Amino acid sequence: MTISPQNLREQHRLASDALSRAELAVDTGANIYAQLGVSDAQLKQVRRGLIQKARTQLAFVADTALKTLEPAGLAGLPRGRDDRADGGALSAGQAALASAWSNLAEFETLRGAKDASIAAYRKALEFAPDDLTANAQLADLLESRHDLANAKMHAERALRVDANHFTASMALARVLMRQDQFAQAERAAMNAAKTGAGADDRALAWALAGEARDRRGETAAAFAAFTQANKLMLQRYGQLQEASHPAHPANVRLLTEFVARAPAIGAATPFSTPAPAFLIGFPRS
């Protein structure tokens, strides 16, 4: 939406209230990235950085846009310059509000608070309806909340801005899969497979394309897609997987050295008392 000078202060207040709530919650919420090796301290640092960005953007609204626009005729203040002369300040304030809400949305995502993140992205899009990241992330969140119609709408809106956006392509592909539109889902997934920044992203896209092909009965093509996904994952993690295997030469060498250094292990002492065993069976019907 395009806000009026009179509405800018109220919108600034709403965003400031959300920022205050975020500041109180900076140390709460689960670490949903722990399995990726992100420590609690690292995650909190990122959260605080997002809050600082939102704080800076809202300070800009207060110190620049509001102070510029108030003399131009906000309610209760004397009218100064023509409102139209300050359109630049109003547009800048609106853009800053969109950025502040986007940072708050990302903060809530990092806390695992999906509903709060969805609400914040929707606020960001009130001020910047065509924002690429906000539309793509909102599509991803809405699909996870089973709101397929709105997820598709926001994914398509993001793809109109950037036809190769990975998150939007994957969100659209998942929506189309759930709507049994497998050919369209494969196209969206293959678009993501070409544009994914990392091996993990491309592997996920190939796997989704394989699922779409499988649902269409194209077994050989599905197998080829799954194979490509596996190749990407092996390129990324295969060396780590091999290195952790007990039969890896390095691990065999370490175990051999340990046994050589360890004191001799005597024969096991036999049990002096019986150890009864119980067999439990279930009749088959």
Side-chain angles (χ1 to χ4, degrees):
M1 68 178 178
T2 300
I3 61 176
S4 65
Q6 289 77 10
N7 194 31
L8 182 62
R9 180 174 292 281
E10 173 63 12
Q11 294 298 332
H12 177 265
R13 183 191 67 78
L14 292 173
S16 297
D17 288 347
L19 175 61
S20 297
R21 292 192 296 271
E23 289 172 331
L24 292 173
V26 68
D27 293 328
T28 65
N31 182 355
I32 59 176
Y33 300 99
Q35 62 181 353
L36 300 178
V38 179
S39 68
D40 290 348
Q42 289 172 321
L43 188 60
K44 288 176 183 177
Q45 184 178 4
V46 174
R47 290 174 180 171
R48 292 190 182 100
L50 291 167
I51 286 178
Q52 181 56 46
K53 286 182 181 179
R55 186 184 297 117
T56 300
Q57 288 147 355
L58 292 179
F60 170 83
V61 176
D63 296 340
T64 303
L66 285 175
K67 287 183 179 179
T68 299
L69 291 166
E70 281 179 349
L74 276 173
L77 294 171
R79 179 172 295 278
R81 299 178 301 280
D82 190 325
D83 291 350
R84 290 172 296 179
D86 297 299
L90 185 59
S91 297
Q94 186 163 321
L97 280 171
S99 296
W101 278 112
S102 288
N103 281 301
L104 291 171
E106 188 175 351
F107 167 84
E108 296 295 354
T109 298
L110 292 179
R111 284 204 317 121
K114 284 189 176 183
D115 290 339
S117 183
I118 288 170
Y121 275 126
R122 280 178 165 153
K123 286 297 295 183
L125 290 170
E126 288 182 15
F127 306 110
D130 295 324
D131 184 85
L132 173 61
T133 300
N135 274 300
Q137 295 297 333
L138 184 55
D140 184 66
L141 288 164
L142 290 172
E143 187 275 330
S144 72
R145 282 287 187 257
H146 315 296
D147 186 350
L148 302 186
N150 282 310
K152 185 178 182 181
M153 178 187 71
H154 286 288
E156 290 174 339
R157 187 177 292 175
L159 291 169
R160 283 196 292 271
V161 178
D162 179 0
N164 297 317
H165 195 274
F166 175 80
T167 301
S169 296
M170 285 295 286
L172 180 60
R174 289 195 299 270
V175 168
L176 292 169
M177 283 293 297
R178 296 175 67 177
Q179 294 177 335
D180 295 337
Q181 299 180 48
F182 304 125
Q184 298 93 319
E186 181 190 351
R187 285 196 293 270
M190 289 305 300
N191 187 57
K194 293 183 294 184
T195 60
D200 287 348
D201 289 344
R202 296 194 301 276
L204 287 172
W206 274 106
L208 191 54
E211 184 180 351
R213 293 173 181 179
D214 185 53
R215 296 289 295 274
R216 292 165 61 193
E218 299 178 359
T219 307
F223 183 81
F226 291 136
T227 299
Q228 183 61 30
N230 287 336
K231 284 181 179 179
L232 287 165
M233 296 302 288
L234 284 172
Q235 289 171 8
R236 174 80 185 256
Y237 300 108
Q239 187 175 1
L240 293 174
Q241 182 182 14
E242 182 182 347
S244 64
H245 195 281
H248 189 276
N251 295 326
V252 171
R253 184 180 66 254
L254 291 173
L255 182 59
T256 302
E257 292 172 354
F258 169 77
V259 172
R261 291 194 305 268
I265 301 176
T269 303
F271 288 106
S272 59
T273 57
F278 297 91
L279 298 178
I280 301 175
F282 298 93
R284 297 179 62 182
S285 58

